[in-house]
Amino acid sequence: MLKVEGLSFSYGDFTVENVCFEVKDGEILTLLGPNGSGKTTILKNVYGLLRPKKKCVFVDGKDFPSLSLKERAKLAGYVPQSHHPPFPYTVLDVVVMGLTSQLSVFESPREEHYKRALEKLRLLGMERFKDRPYTQLSGGQLQLVLIARALIQEPRVLLDEPTAHLDFKNQVKILGIIKRLTREEKIAAVITLHDPNLASVYSDKIALVKEGEIKAVGVPREILREEILREVYSVPVQIFELNGFRVVMPVMEVTI
Amino acid sequence: MNRKLVLLFFLVSPILSFFFTLCIGAYPLPLSAIVHIIAAKILEIVTFGRFTLDLNYPPVYETILFQIRLPRVITAMLVGSALAVSGAVLQATFRNPLVDSYIIGISAGAAFGAALAIGFLPASVEVLAFVFSMVAMFLTYTLARISGKVTVITLILAGIIINAFFSALTSLLKFLMEHEKLAGVVYWLMGSFATANWNVVLRVAVPVIAGCIVVHLMRWHLNVLSMGEEAQILGIDVGKMRVVYISVVSLMTAAAVAHCGIIGWVGLIMPHIVRMAFGPDHKSLIPLSIALGSTFMVLADTLARSIATYEIPIGILTTLLGIPFFTYLLRKTRGGGWNA
Ligand SMILES: Nc1ncnc2c1ncn2[C@@H]1O[C@H](COP(=O)(O)OP(=O)(O)O)[C@@H](O)[C@H]1O
Ligand SMILES: [Mg+2]
């Protein structure tokens, strides 16, 4: 269980104000909002990479950001929005880095650690790439490798735009995998997305973010409403109901 | 299979080159004599002189071996390992394939510190070399950090500036130095193993072996540290780890520079050759860089002392070998990140 109670943070000219949400184990909460609305900033604060103004993030009741980096890495994984490979490590070498927090500085990973990394790769259908340099993967495959690296840290993950740069098929595939894993492994996940429809299908909860504030948080059916989306995105939208899901469509401003 | 053979070759290459190079010189020694004399010496030492072998070799053999070649070869091997490991560590720490202790100015700082101690201050050469190598490192890093970011290019540019700065200061020291000391300093600065003796071996060996052991034990975490700030989410205190690795590198570089002058490019080239052959995992990269660094240095030194009737300073030789390699790397990496 991950609980955020009144998170505030300031970059100087940009502030995040009084963010509150709660994610149970096995649930996905999606932060949805326009570019620059503060989604990444919120995730970084939750993980303690940026320092929130006061105690406000609790994982199983523990004040999360005050833990050491090592203790935090044992409790939660993080998939960054972008990644720049320094050297062409193999896929397996990258995933095993997720176990850093369980090794002392004088230790190297052993057989058992590589086995665990391989299991995660298998879970994501990436096993056959294990010896490939990870600089030679497609965007979607790289994303899967980084997700495997975060998942091995268990049992909570924060994923910043897991579907960025992916084609439609891979967006669906990755979100499907995240959905399945959070259910099966009882992982609490916070992710950020750009597409309200994908959020509607895959999230248990959605938090709408605008200018560093959460405008609404709740189950997708309640959150995806015309007025509030229009306010958050500043574009007119229409909502349709389909098989129990809400579908968000832009309103065309020019008539053809 | 093939890979295993190459690996084995890398790992035994220091031993092969060790014996090979002991044979070579103005007065060539036969390999059998070298093996016998060394074996006899070891036997004498481990039995505290109770056993001695009578060998019928000219006494000059023993003198050449123990007074001249062995200390020189061992020093070269230590310095080669130190520089190669330093390069590997710096490349990982800064996620920058184009650096080593020479390029980012650590060597120039160490040389200034050593020259200061030799010419003017009653301080230990090694200590001042270490202090100024750290100062140089700090200055380079500070200069390279532009709005919170250190890029591949800013680090190299900052290195150029700090290199120039400390070279100028060292030149100033040379200018002010007494003439008797000057010749020695000039020769030492160009990089040479000619002055090696058992005292030098000892003073280089302690920091270099200690440094190599520490880096070797901590080698896998270099993989993680090379992820940059992102390593935080894997549970590593990036700032603290960088300081630890850089201090060890400075210590080893300072020991090498204080006794053997500035020898550039070795630290840049060796880790790259290992990466090309065995991949970038530091689990294998570090031990293999140690092996290859010592092999390369000892062979380069053999070349330097036997190619002409006079000795060529080793620093000049490694630079001439290093520049084409750096050019190749610059093109391969396009001056940016690593795209294999
Ligand atoms: N390191 C930084 N320093 C100052 N301002 C920043 C920094 N990073 C992001 N910002 C600002 O914070 C705001 C929110 O950014 P971000 O959280 O990355 O948005 P999102 O992830 O929702 O696109 C933006 O206005 C951005 O300019
Ligand atoms: Mg973002």
Side-chain angles (χ1 to χ4, degrees):
Chain A
M1 166 112 136
L2 172 71
K3 200 169 186 177
V4 178
E5 287 174 349
L7 184 159
S8 298
F9 175 82
S10 172
Y11 263 135
D13 53 351
F14 179 84
T15 51
V16 167
E17 212 76 62
N18 197 29
V19 165
C20 302
F21 58 77
E22 194 181 303
V23 198
K24 299 202 180 69
D25 294 343
E27 263 185 6
I28 297 179
L29 177 134
T30 302
L31 298 174
L32 198 60
N35 289 331
S37 58
K39 303 182 294 296
T40 298
T41 310
I42 292 173
L43 281 190
K44 284 187 174 167
N45 270 284
V46 169
Y47 203 86
L49 299 175
L50 295 171
R51 287 280 154 191
K53 281 179 185 158
K54 62 179 178 65
K55 251 199 230 184
C56 58
V57 180
F58 301 93
V59 169
D60 297 339
K62 268 182 268 181
D63 173 23
F64 190 66
S66 75
L67 300 175
S68 74
L69 280 163
K70 197 164 179 153
E71 289 169 313
R72 270 182 270 163
K74 281 180 189 162
L75 290 174
Y78 187 107
V79 178
Q81 188 171 346
S82 57
H83 177 84
H84 307 283
F87 296 107
Y89 295 117
T90 65
V91 165
L92 193 64
D93 280 335
V94 173
V95 177
V96 90
M97 287 188 210
L99 293 172
T100 307
S101 58
Q102 309 188 6
L103 297 165
S104 88
V105 275
F106 297 117
E107 266 181 305
S108 298
R110 294 176 296 276
E111 206 50 46
E112 45 180 308
H113 299 109
Y114 289 106
K115 236 181 234 157
R116 282 171 65 186
L118 204 56
E119 267 165 36
K120 288 294 174 222
L121 281 174
R122 197 172 298 145
L123 211 56
L124 296 172
M126 288 289 291
E127 197 185 359
R128 71 205 150 98
F129 293 105
K130 69 180 170 64
D131 295 320
R132 174 93 63 98
Y134 87 126
T135 45
Q136 295 172 13
L137 297 176
S138 76
Q141 292 165 341
L142 175 62
Q143 196 64 256
L144 283 173
V145 170
L146 297 179
I147 290 175
R149 188 185 71 179
L151 283 176
I152 209 172
Q153 290 173 239
E154 347 186 59
R156 283 155 209 91
V157 280
L158 312 173
L159 303 109
D160 202 356
E161 299 199 14
T163 59
H165 319 299
L166 298 188
D167 64 21
F168 184 65
K169 177 193 158 187
N170 276 308
Q171 293 189 12
V172 170
K173 193 177 149 196
I174 287 200
L175 287 173
I177 288 169
I178 293 170
K179 183 84 180 175
R180 178 164 61 85
L181 290 177
T182 46
R183 284 279 185 282
E184 285 172 5
E185 319 247 321
K186 291 277 168 258
I187 292 169
V190 181
I191 69 182
T192 70
L193 291 177
H194 278 303
D195 184 337
N197 289 319
L198 286 176
S200 161
V201 175
Y202 290 99
S203 322
D204 298 293
K205 278 183 200 156
I206 292 178
L208 288 175
V209 188
K210 188 189 187 187
E211 290 165 7
E213 280 179 51
I214 292 202
K215 293 293 176 192
V217 57
V219 297
R221 289 183 55 78
E222 287 167 16
I223 294 303
L224 299 174
R225 282 177 289 121
E226 280 171 21
E227 330 77 67
I228 185 135
L229 285 175
R230 195 171 305 155
E231 188 201 329
V232 167
Y233 282 106
S234 316
V235 290
V237 295
Q238 289 166 282
I239 304 279
F240 299 96
E241 189 97 22
L242 194 70
N243 296 342
F245 289 110
R246 297 222 150 181
V247 181
V248 182
M249 289 276 282
V251 176
M252 285 221 275
E253 283 169 340
V254 279
T255 45
I256 301 165
Chain B
M1 179 58 211
N2 216 340
R3 199 184 127 96
K4 285 243 169 73
L5 270 182
V6 182
L7 187 77
L8 196 69
F9 177 73
F10 266 64
L11 286 175
V12 297
S13 64
I15 302 168
L16 299 179
S17 46
F18 174 77
F19 284 106
F20 167 74
T21 203
L22 284 177
C23 301
I24 293 177
Y27 193 108
L29 299 177
L31 182 62
S32 56
I34 290 170
V35 174
H36 287 157
I37 294 173
I38 292 180
K41 191 71 169 184
I42 290 174
L43 187 68
E44 192 186 317
I45 291 173
V46 296
T47 59
F48 300 103
R50 258 174 284 160
F51 279 100
T52 46
L53 292 181
D54 262 336
L55 298 171
N56 295 318
Y57 293 113
V60 63
Y61 277 27
E62 211 166 310
T63 315
I64 290 177
L65 197 59
F66 288 119
Q67 300 312 314
I68 301 172
R69 279 191 207 155
L70 260 182
R72 178 162 185 159
V73 167
I74 293 174
T75 307
M77 294 181 96
L78 289 168
V79 168
S81 315
L83 295 178
V85 166
S86 300
V89 172
L90 291 171
Q91 286 161 20
T93 309
F94 292 116
R95 320 158 43 80
N96 187 335
L98 300 177
V99 296
D100 71 353
S101 20
Y102 173 68
I103 288 173
I104 60 175
I106 295 185
S107 301
F112 169 74
L116 199 61
I118 292 170
F120 302 93
L121 292 180
S124 147
V125 177
E126 289 98 339
V127 171
L128 272 197
F130 175 63
V131 168
F132 280 95
S133 66
M134 289 294 278
V135 170
M137 181 65 249
F138 175 77
L139 290 176
T140 303
Y141 189 76
T142 311
L143 269 186
R145 206 176 150 91
I146 295 168
S147 57
K149 279 208 164 56
V150 179
T151 70
V152 170
I153 298 301
T154 57
L155 189 65
I156 293 171
L157 291 178
I160 292 176
I161 297 170
I162 297 307
N163 253 318
F165 174 61
F166 278 107
S167 304
L169 288 184
T170 307
S171 296
L172 184 67
L173 290 188
K174 287 195 276 188
F175 181 71
L176 299 171
M177 207 169 274
E178 301 150 33
H179 282 289
E180 312 87 80
K181 286 179 180 169
L182 184 60
V185 166
V186 167
Y187 193 70
W188 154 73
L189 267 179
M190 283 192 281
S192 170
F193 297 113
T195 52
N197 55 38
W198 288 109
N199 180 34
V200 169
V201 170
L202 189 70
R203 292 166 75 166
V204 175
V206 173
V208 167
I209 290 176
C212 283
I213 289 174
V214 169
V215 172
H216 182 79
L217 287 174
M218 293 171 58
R219 68 195 185 283
W220 183 76
H221 277 69
L222 285 167
N223 283 3
V224 185
L225 196 62
S226 75
M227 293 285 150
E229 293 301 323
E230 200 184 302
Q232 287 181 56
I233 61 181
L234 301 169
I236 275 194
D237 188 332
V238 175
K240 213 189 277 174
M241 288 287 269
R242 279 191 184 142
V243 171
V244 171
Y245 282 113
I246 288 170
S247 308
V248 176
V249 163
S250 290
L251 184 72
M252 290 196 284
T253 305
V257 169
H259 295 285
C260 308
I262 296 181
I263 301 170
W265 308 94
V266 179
L268 181 77
I269 302 170
M270 296 307 131
H272 278 291
I273 294 178
V274 177
R275 264 187 218 108
M276 284 172 199
F278 299 101
D281 185 3
H282 289 82
K283 239 172 133 174
S284 49
L285 181 64
I286 294 299
L288 287 168
S289 293
I290 293 175
L292 192 64
S294 59
T295 301
F296 172 83
M297 193 56 100
V298 97
L299 293 181
D301 183 49
T302 310
L303 197 64
R305 66 189 166 83
S306 59
I307 196 172
T309 46
Y310 46 86
E311 271 201 49
I312 302 171
I314 184 90
I316 295 177
L317 204 68
T318 59
T319 303
L320 291 179
L321 292 173
I323 284 170
F325 197 87
F326 187 83
T327 313
Y328 162 75
L329 278 182
L330 198 59
R331 305 208 160 252
K332 183 179 155 89
T333 61
R334 297 196 189 89
W338 187 272
N339 296 300

